[in-house]
Amino acid sequence: MSAGATIVVVGAGPAGMAAARVLAEEGLRPMVLDKAARPGGQVWREPVGEGEEPSLPGHDPSQARRARTAFLELARDGRLDWYPSTTVVDLTRDRLWALGASGAVDSTGFDRLILCPGAIERILPVPGWTLPGVYTSGGARTALESLRCFVGRRIAFVGTGPLLYLVAARHVAAGASVVAVADTARLHQALAALPGLAADRSGLALAARCLAALRRAVVPILRGVRAFAVEGRHRVEGLRLETRAGPRELDCDAVAFGFGLVPQLQLLDLLDAPFRFDPESESWLPELDRAGRTPLPGVYVAGDGGRIRGARAAELAGERAALALLEDLGRPVDGPRVARLDRELERQSRFARALGRAFPFPRALEEAIADDTVVCRCEGVTAAALRAASRAFDADEINRAKALTRCGMGRCQGRLCGPSAARILAGARGLDLASVGRLRAQPPVEPLPARARRVEEETAA
C-alpha cells in the first residue's frame, strides 16, 4: 500500500482527533468527517456564545480547547482534510456515502478506516418518559455546557452511573435547582467495587468532588430506587419513586435520566463486522484486539464506539489505533510508546469494569416494564405489542419482532428502544438476552432530508 493511500477517520471527538493527529504527524493526511460543525465530540464540544466557560466539577476546558485548537491547526496547515457538518449515512468495505451541509450526498473511496462514532446513553422506558421535560443526562449536560442553559427550573436526576452524579453536580455548581439524585444502584455495590475503582485515582477524586458538591447544596441522594414514573398531563409535573424506604414524590418540572452508555455500532454493522455479547455490561460490543483492529482488514475502532471507558481513554485509544494502522502499513512504530498506551488503556479498562459493578444496569426494572408503556417512541410501540407479537408469531429474534411491530424502524433506528425491546422479547419467550440478538443497522443510518440528492445524480442532470 502506498504512502498516498486514502485514510478516513469518522468522528472528531477525543478518539478521532487523536487518531488524526498521529496520522498527520506521519504525513499521511487523513480525511476526517464529523456530523458536528466543530470538533470535540459530545465530551469536548465547544460552547456556544462568548465569555469564559463555567467552572464545573471535573471540567477542565483547557484540555478540550488545546485538543480542538491543535486539530484545527493541522487542518489549516493542510496536514489533514476536515469535513465538518458531514454525516456518514452508508458504508461498505471500501467506500462511504456522507450527507454534507449543502444537502448533497457525496461518496468517497478509502483504503483504511478508523471509526470513532462514540456512544449513546442507555435509557429505560418508564411511565411518562415521553412527556416534554424529560431528557437524558447527556442531553441536560449538553444544554448546560454547550448552550449554557438549564433544562428546567427544578430538575430531578434519576438512573445510575457516574454520569448521573457528574451532571447533577455540574448543574449545582452552575446554580441550577436540583431536587434530588435518585440512583437505582445501592451503596454496598459501590463499596464492593472500590478495589477496582482504585485503578484510577483521578476518577475517584472526581467522584468525591461531585458528591461533595451535592452534599454542600443539600441535594438528597436516594439510593436503591426500585421503580419510578414521571408524572404530568402535558409536561413534567413531578417524579414518583419507589425506594427501599417506601414511596416518595418529587416536585420537579424536568427529569434527566440515564443508565450508562452503550457503543454506537451502526456503521460497523453495515460492514458485517462481528460482535459479541458482553454479559457484564449486558450490551453488544465489536470484536477488537487491544489496539482497536477489527477482524476486517483495514478497519479500526477507537473510543467509546468500541469500549466505554471515558474521554481520556478514548483519546489514548485513538492514538493507539492510529499507531496500529501505521504498523500495518509497514511504518516504524515506537515500541515503548505502544507499551505505555497499552498499559494505560488496560488500567482504564479495569476502572471501567469496576464502574460497571458499582452502577449495574437495573435489569429487574427493564424486565418489569408495564404493558402500556411506550418502548419505541418513534413508532408508538408498547411493551404489550411486543409481547403479543412474540407469542402470536413465535418470534424469538429481535429483528423478527421489529418486522412484526415496527419497533426500531423510526428515526433513531432502535438506538434508544433496541436494548429494552430485546429484554422484553427475551422475557416473553423465556430466553436469555444474548440469544434474541440485536437490531441490525440499515442504510441510511441517519435520517436524510427530502432535499438530499446524490452528487452524481445532480451531475448527470
Side-chain angles (χ1 to χ4, degrees):
M1 188 174 189
S2 69
T6 301
I7 301 173
V8 172
V9 177
V10 178
M17 289 192 295
R21 173 181 53 80
V22 172
L23 296 172
E25 288 171 351
E26 291 294 321
L28 291 180
R29 191 169 177 172
M31 178 186 299
V32 186
L33 292 71
D34 193 278
K35 67 175 65 176
R38 301 281 291 176
Q42 295 294 332
V43 178
W44 288 352
R45 185 197 306 267
E46 185 174 359
V48 174
E50 299 179 355
E52 290 295 320
E53 297 182 49
S55 176
L56 304 170
H59 181 59
D60 179 9
S62 62
Q63 182 183 13
R65 193 182 304 115
R66 285 194 299 270
R68 293 193 305 263
T69 300
F71 176 85
L72 291 173
E73 285 178 352
L74 289 170
R76 281 193 294 269
D77 292 343
R79 300 173 66 185
L80 62 83
D81 295 317
W82 166 227
Y83 294 88
S85 304
T86 302
T87 303
V88 178
V89 295
D90 197 3
L91 185 64
T92 67
R93 301 257 180 119
D94 60 2
R95 180 163 291 273
L96 63 80
W97 287 261
L99 174 69
S102 67
V105 178
D106 202 354
S107 68
T108 186
F110 58 84
D111 301 294
R112 303 274 170 163
L113 176 69
I114 300 181
L115 291 174
C116 308
I120 189 169
E121 197 158 4
R122 186 165 183 177
I123 58 92
L124 178 65
V126 297
W129 77 286
T130 60
L131 282 170
V134 178
Y135 301 82
T136 64
S137 300
R141 177 182 183 174
T142 297
L144 172 63
E145 296 178 10
S146 296
L147 304 179
R148 302 184 184 181
C149 67
F150 305 140
V151 295
R153 293 183 300 275
R154 290 176 54 80
I155 311 167
F157 289 85
V158 61
T160 196
L163 184 63
L164 188 74
Y165 292 88
L166 176 65
V167 179
R170 291 185 175 183
H171 274 73
V172 165
S177 175
V178 175
V179 301
V181 175
D183 192 348
T184 57
R186 297 170 63 181
L187 181 59
H188 76 85
Q189 293 170 315
L191 295 176
L194 273 177
L197 294 174
D200 186 351
R201 296 189 178 184
S202 64
L204 273 178
L206 171 58
R209 291 199 299 274
C210 290
L211 287 172
L214 294 170
R215 290 195 180 104
R216 284 195 301 270
V218 198
V219 174
I221 298 176
L222 312 174
R223 294 186 173 90
V225 172
R226 295 174 170 176
F228 65 96
V230 183
E231 298 184 319
R233 294 188 61 188
H234 304 295
R235 61 163 296 110
V236 173
E237 296 174 3
L239 183 67
R240 185 175 71 253
L241 303 169
E242 292 292 335
T243 71
R244 294 178 59 81
R248 181 148 180 179
E249 301 277 345
L250 298 178
D251 178 21
C252 59
D253 64 357
V255 172
F257 79 135
F259 296 87
L261 303 172
V262 291
Q264 297 232 52
L265 304 176
Q266 288 74 24
L267 291 175
L268 196 57
D269 199 10
L270 294 180
L271 301 179
D272 292 326
F275 299 89
R276 64 175 178 85
F277 184 77
D278 177 38
E280 191 169 12
S281 64
E282 297 196 333
S283 62
W284 291 89
L285 301 176
E287 291 281 3
L288 304 174
D289 71 5
R290 64 181 182 176
R293 296 180 181 91
T294 74
L296 308 178
V299 179
Y300 310 78
V301 176
D304 284 348
R307 301 290 184 267
I308 305 298
R309 294 179 291 196
R312 174 56 182 157
E315 185 180 30
L316 296 173
E319 182 179 351
R320 184 66 181 90
L323 292 175
L325 188 154
L326 291 170
E327 185 178 21
D328 295 343
L329 289 177
R331 298 274 187 123
V333 173
D334 181 13
R337 180 183 185 184
V338 168
R340 175 184 58 80
L341 287 170
D342 286 343
R343 286 194 302 269
E344 180 61 20
L345 284 169
E346 177 53 36
R347 186 175 70 86
Q348 295 288 342
S349 294
R350 292 198 302 273
F351 182 71
R353 290 192 293 269
L355 282 177
R357 294 190 292 272
F359 302 102
F361 183 80
R363 61 181 303 174
L365 269 69
E366 195 168 57
E367 290 169 346
I369 293 174
D371 276 348
D372 61 352
T373 300
V374 172
V375 176
C376 174
R377 63 187 302 168
C378 295
E379 298 293 328
V381 181
T382 63
L386 279 164
R387 291 178 177 126
S390 70
R391 291 164 180 153
F393 297 95
D394 294 329
D396 56 6
E397 197 273 330
I398 188 62
N399 291 284
R400 173 66 172 154
K402 172 183 175 180
L404 293 168
T405 64
R406 295 190 59 81
C407 182
M409 288 190 183
R411 181 182 179 90
C412 84
Q413 288 212 19
R415 288 171 172 85
L416 295 179
C417 65
S420 292
R423 176 88 69 186
I424 291 168
L425 180 62
R429 301 294 295 166
L431 302 170
D432 63 89
L433 190 57
S435 65
V436 301
R438 57 185 177 77
L439 289 175
R440 292 188 296 269
Q442 301 289 335
V445 294
E446 298 279 359
L448 290 174
R451 65 188 177 92
R453 294 288 186 275
R454 286 184 181 269
V455 171
E456 52 263 40
E457 291 177 358
E458 294 179 346
T459 304

